[in-house]
Amino acid sequence: MAMMPRRVKHRKSQRRRIKGNATRGNTVVLGDYGLQSTQAGHITAQTIEAGRIAAQQYVRGIGKLYIRIFPHKSVTARPLETRMGKGKGEPDRWVATVKPGTVMYELKGVTEQQAKICFARLAHKMPVRCRFVRRRPELETTEA
């Protein structure tokens, strides 16, 4: 697999309901524009990689792409035609848990129109609804 952690503390994690909004990773920090999720869900490592390829093909040298999510959670699957019992099954794929408000991708060094086109291409590949966001202007601090 392209994206998966090198080591994990617990091999199999329990699947739970994704509750609440993102309190961390919900602002554009690294780039000028971002793609923010408006729904909760799981995004597989293959989907993250497909989004990266689609964005890189569009940006291609004029800007920088930042990926802000990483697939930390393993999803298990039992083999087909297996009887009941005998445990949970082996890890099948890796997913990133995304809450509403999580900034998934960021772009830097491109115009706003180019960023909107690029993120529209990316949003088609995502299994959750997304929106385009800009970086907030820094507050002016007075030095004494």
Side-chain angles (χ1 to χ4, degrees):
M1 288 193 134
M3 296 177 84
M4 61 185 283
R6 287 191 187 126
R7 281 186 302 145
V8 288
K9 193 168 186 180
H10 305 289
R11 193 168 66 109
K12 299 175 188 173
S13 58
Q14 299 293 317
R15 184 184 167 102
R16 293 186 174 162
R17 196 166 149 244
I18 304 169
K19 294 188 280 187
N21 295 325
T23 56
R24 290 174 286 179
N26 58 359
T27 56
V28 179
V29 178
L30 302 169
D32 300 322
Y33 308 103
L35 186 69
Q36 187 178 47
S37 70
T38 57
Q39 277 184 323
H42 295 293
I43 300 178
T44 64
Q46 289 179 328
T47 307
I48 296 168
E49 185 69 13
R52 183 195 67 81
I53 291 168
Q56 288 287 355
Q57 285 176 348
Y58 184 77
V59 173
R60 199 176 309 258
I62 52 174
K64 178 123 175 81
L65 176 73
Y66 297 98
I67 302 173
R68 297 275 310 273
I69 53 176
F70 185 80
H72 289 286
K73 186 170 182 158
S74 64
V75 175
T76 60
R78 303 274 308 278
L80 292 174
E81 301 173 8
T82 306
R83 292 189 176 203
M84 296 286 284
K86 301 203 174 31
K88 188 177 176 184
E90 292 301 312
D92 181 44
R93 62 190 180 275
W94 294 87
V95 297
T97 305
V98 171
K99 290 183 175 183
T102 304
V103 175
M104 299 180 288
Y105 294 91
E106 291 185 20
L107 272 175
K108 184 178 186 180
V110 295
T111 64
E112 184 172 343
Q113 190 63 31
Q114 289 172 327
K116 281 186 179 180
I117 294 168
C118 182
F119 285 143
R121 293 174 58 160
L122 255 155
H124 283 294
K125 298 188 178 299
M126 294 296 126
V128 294
R129 278 202 206 106
C130 310
R131 69 177 182 170
F132 178 81
V133 289
R134 288 178 205 84
R135 184 182 202 140
R136 295 175 87 187
E138 276 74 17
L139 298 172
E140 298 294 326
T141 57
T142 57
E143 295 179 14

